[in-house]
Amino acid sequence: MPEHGGNLDVALQRFGGHAQDWIDLSTGINRQPYPVGELPPTCWNELPSPSAIQSLHRAAQQAYGTEAPILATNGAQAAIQWLPHLASRGRVRILSPTYNEYAAVFLAAGWEVTESSDLAALADADIAVLTNPNNPDGKRHEPSQLLALLPRVGRLVVDESFADATPALSLAPKAVLPGLLILRSFGKFFGLAGLRLGFILGNEADIAALAVMAGPWPVSGAAIEIGSRALLDREWAEATSARLIRDGLRLDDEVARRGWTLVGGTPLFRLYETGDAKLAQERLARAQIWSRVFSYQKGWLRLGLPGDETEWVRLSAALTR
Amino acid sequence: MPEHGGNLDVALQRFGGHAQDWIDLSTGINRQPYPVGELPPTCWNELPSPSAIQSLHRAAQQAYGTEAPILATNGAQAAIQWLPHLASRGRVRILSPTYNEYAAVFLAAGWEVTESSDLAALADADIAVLTNPNNPDGKRHEPSQLLALLPRVGRLVVDESFADATPALSLAPKAVLPGLLILRSFGKFFGLAGLRLGFILGNEADIAALAVMAGPWPVSGAAIEIGSRALLDREWAEATSARLIRDGLRLDDEVARRGWTLVGGTPLFRLYETGDAKLAQERLARAQIWSRVFSYQKGWLRLGLPGDETEWVRLSAALTR
């Protein structure tokens, strides 16, 4: 299976300690999560009802500024797992480097996978995949650029897992266009990755096909309840976006003292050129701070943003040690 | 989409009232659920770790009395959704009547679907599917009968969603046999259908293939936490099994007064011949008790078991009205 951030197991095996003592910055999951609050027992005891799922869909459409057909999935990952089954096997082209599950999932399903760093090279793909803003390097594509590519591919999948704080980048408002599919992650921006909630938006036929594949109860009662509340809380979202953008710049400042340079990032994570990322990772790990390195780029270290002030102080100390 | 029990939306539309005023007996979900208890914040905030998923798998293996490879899924339904993708399209034969998602899911994936009421007619299928004990009629198959069928089919899928209280029927201990796949539901017996947790057991190659299809985070943090606790609580399971069996007989007695006869059942639901199930359903619905009818058998009414004594009293009154 592909390597992922968010796997503290590896850190514990290599560096010891207890999970709760570590600060896990190996992901882009917001460490100041949306408050879960009280949950009604029906969340647990009953099958999710079609009307509850519809309400969740409406909340997500509102949050993402779109009226396009939408499907809630067991994390954005679940939508990725079904993508290769939307069409007969063909050629998928992936704008790389990016989230490594795309190549793995399409390969496992028997597709011909090409990875390219050039947007124009996605043309003629049966399915073209890109992430906007991109993970891990934060690269951004203007909606107009992507709309120009759309007629040149069978389907264009735009993964907007890290787009919550930069809504101007989002193609969700246009997701109804033929061939366009937009993925959204709930858990990263809202800091609730364990809930497993994501969405896919697109035209009616594709979303209907995906809904058949995902089955009648694609998400949990808790995901519906918490997701609906959180997505409608625009005040929280705006305050969080502002804080994340501020904190990203603060992190850039902190690491600059170590001589690391910013490669790019999103409001949820930053990617730095460190010269030797394994060494940098080990240094932070000795202070029980976990980070993400990349086998294909030896200098790159990706850091999520610390949560509360205690975490900032610990990171700062680890960086200046 | 196929019709399901557990859809109170329909009852509310037709008969009014608020969901919380209804007693939903249209499913086989235990109405005295396992207590959810306190959940650590990491359930919500972090991606489920491989080690936590492994612990859940071990708890399920222990509960199901097996060492066979196992995969936790987003409800047993999620495993059903992936079954047609385990092999190239072929012929699936389904012992019917049964849970109607099997035919729907295989048809949607382009398989040739045959339904038969004769176990022997499953022979020569690429995939044969049966539910044991069966939903909705409670029909039981001895493990030896099913093991005799196994060499005559490509794969044999045994859905044991209602087998928790009758472990002697289970083939989970033999799930490692080539071609055998066992599905287990967590939510029905433990009364936590909203959690979305199920399992599929089989040989190493099939479970590995399903794990690739399900992706790295197939279940939520809450499902892992609550599922692990509940599956290891054998005391609760034994007391619950005993109560369910007792309550099933009590329900049979109650409805006998109305002249309905038992077709069959499991400890989680009972199927009755009522003469006119739509009429019977309406009578109960006027007392805000929801039940399940079947378009293919006009007399059949399926009832789950009432939960607390208040619910029994309401059902009894509705039946004698």
Side-chain angles (χ1 to χ4, degrees), chain B:
Chain B
M1 275 204 196
E3 281 191 344
H4 293 288
N7 184 358
L8 253 188
D9 287 359
V10 175
L12 298 180
Q13 275 160 29
R14 282 180 54 195
F15 300 95
H18 298 286
Q20 65 268 26
D21 302 327
W22 280 76
I23 304 173
D24 186 2
L25 303 185
S26 70
T27 76
I29 301 164
N30 178 5
R31 291 182 69 80
Q32 295 200 23
Y34 190 82
V36 167
E38 290 292 307
L39 294 174
T42 49
C43 262
W44 308 112
N45 304 337
E46 294 176 8
L47 282 168
S49 72
S51 61
I53 295 175
Q54 275 164 28
S55 296
L56 173 64
H57 286 169
R58 279 193 298 270
Q61 285 169 323
Q62 204 171 314
Y64 303 145
T66 182
E67 290 175 8
I70 189 167
L71 177 71
T73 57
N74 187 43
Q77 181 69 35
I80 295 173
Q81 302 288 145
W82 284 114
L83 285 177
H85 303 279
L86 249 189
S88 9
R89 282 171 202 168
R91 283 165 309 153
V92 61
R93 299 188 177 186
I94 302 169
L95 192 64
S96 297
T98 193
Y99 182 51
N100 56 22
E101 281 285 337
Y102 284 103
V105 165
F106 276 96
L107 274 173
W111 282 61
E112 184 194 317
V113 177
T114 312
E115 302 193 61
S116 169
S117 60
D118 177 12
L119 187 66
L122 300 187
D124 300 329
D126 296 305
I127 298 187
V129 178
L130 59 88
T131 305
N132 193 33
N134 192 40
N135 168 20
D137 63 4
K139 192 164 182 184
R140 293 163 182 233
H141 301 278
E142 288 310 313
S144 57
Q145 263 185 303
L146 303 183
L147 291 176
L149 176 66
L150 183 57
R152 304 178 57 202
V153 299
R155 284 184 176 85
L156 176 62
V157 174
V158 183
D159 182 334
E160 298 185 351
S161 284
F162 295 99
D164 290 66
T166 51
L169 281 185
S170 175
L171 275 176
K174 307 273 188 196
V176 77
L177 287 174
L180 189 58
L181 285 163
I182 306 295
L183 270 86
R184 302 290 302 226
S185 163
F186 173 83
K188 295 175 182 72
F189 180 74
F190 290 96
L192 298 169
L195 193 58
R196 309 313 299 135
L197 179 60
F199 297 92
I200 186 159
L201 300 106
N203 63 71
E204 204 172 323
D206 277 352
I207 297 303
L210 287 160
V212 166
M213 292 192 274
W217 307 287
V219 292
S220 68
I224 294 171
E225 178 74 22
I226 299 168
S228 300
R229 276 186 217 159
L231 287 161
L232 292 176
D233 191 343
R234 292 291 90 197
E235 202 179 323
W236 187 91
E238 278 163 34
T240 296
S241 295
R243 178 187 58 79
L244 290 168
I245 290 166
R246 225 167 37 232
D247 283 358
L249 300 175
R250 178 175 175 185
L251 187 60
D252 295 347
D253 279 349
E254 289 280 353
V255 308
R257 292 196 257 156
R258 268 233 83 77
W260 302 349
T261 56
L262 180 70
V263 177
T266 74
L268 284 159
F269 62 79
R270 317 299 284 170
L271 183 70
Y272 301 109
E273 174 54 56
T274 64
D276 184 340
K278 278 186 82 171
L279 199 71
Q281 184 180 53
E282 276 174 34
R283 180 186 302 275
L284 293 174
R286 282 195 293 272
Q288 299 195 306
I289 295 169
W290 194 229
S291 57
R292 175 83 157 95
V293 296
F294 299 86
S295 51
Y296 56 82
Q297 196 77 27
K298 302 295 180 194
W300 282 6
L301 186 88
R302 194 188 67 190
L303 288 178
L305 306 183
D308 62 21
E309 205 50 35
T310 321
E311 294 189 359
W312 280 100
V313 169
R314 269 179 63 188
L315 178 66
S316 191
L319 284 168
T320 50
R321 195 168 291 170

Side-chain angles (χ1 to χ4, degrees), chain A residues 141-158:
Chain A
H141 301 278
E142 287 310 312
S144 56
Q145 263 186 304
L146 303 183
L147 291 176
L149 176 65
L150 183 57
R152 303 178 59 202
V153 299
R155 283 183 176 86
L156 175 62
V157 174
V158 182

Side-chain angles (χ1 to χ4, degrees), chain A residues 37 47 50 62 77 89 111 160 163 189 206 210 245 257 299 315:
Chain A
L47 282 168
Q62 203 171 316
Q77 182 68 35
R89 280 171 202 169
W111 282 61
E160 298 186 350
F189 179 74
D206 277 353
L210 287 160
I245 291 167
R257 292 195 257 156
L315 178 66

Side-chain angles (χ1 to χ4, degrees), chain A residues 14-87:
Chain A
R14 284 180 55 196
F15 299 96
H18 299 285
Q20 64 269 27
D21 302 327
W22 281 75
I23 303 173
D24 186 2
L25 303 185
S26 71
T27 76
I29 301 165
N30 177 5
R31 291 181 68 80
Q32 294 200 24
Y34 190 82
V36 167
E38 290 292 307
L39 294 174
T42 50
C43 261
W44 308 112
N45 303 338
E46 294 175 7
L47 282 168
S49 71
S51 61
I53 295 174
Q54 276 164 27
S55 296
L56 173 64
H57 285 169
R58 279 192 298 269
Q61 285 169 323
Q62 203 171 316
Y64 302 145
T66 181
E67 290 175 9
I70 189 167
L71 178 71
T73 58
N74 188 42
Q77 182 68 35
I80 296 173
Q81 302 288 146
W82 283 114
L83 285 177
H85 303 280
L86 251 189

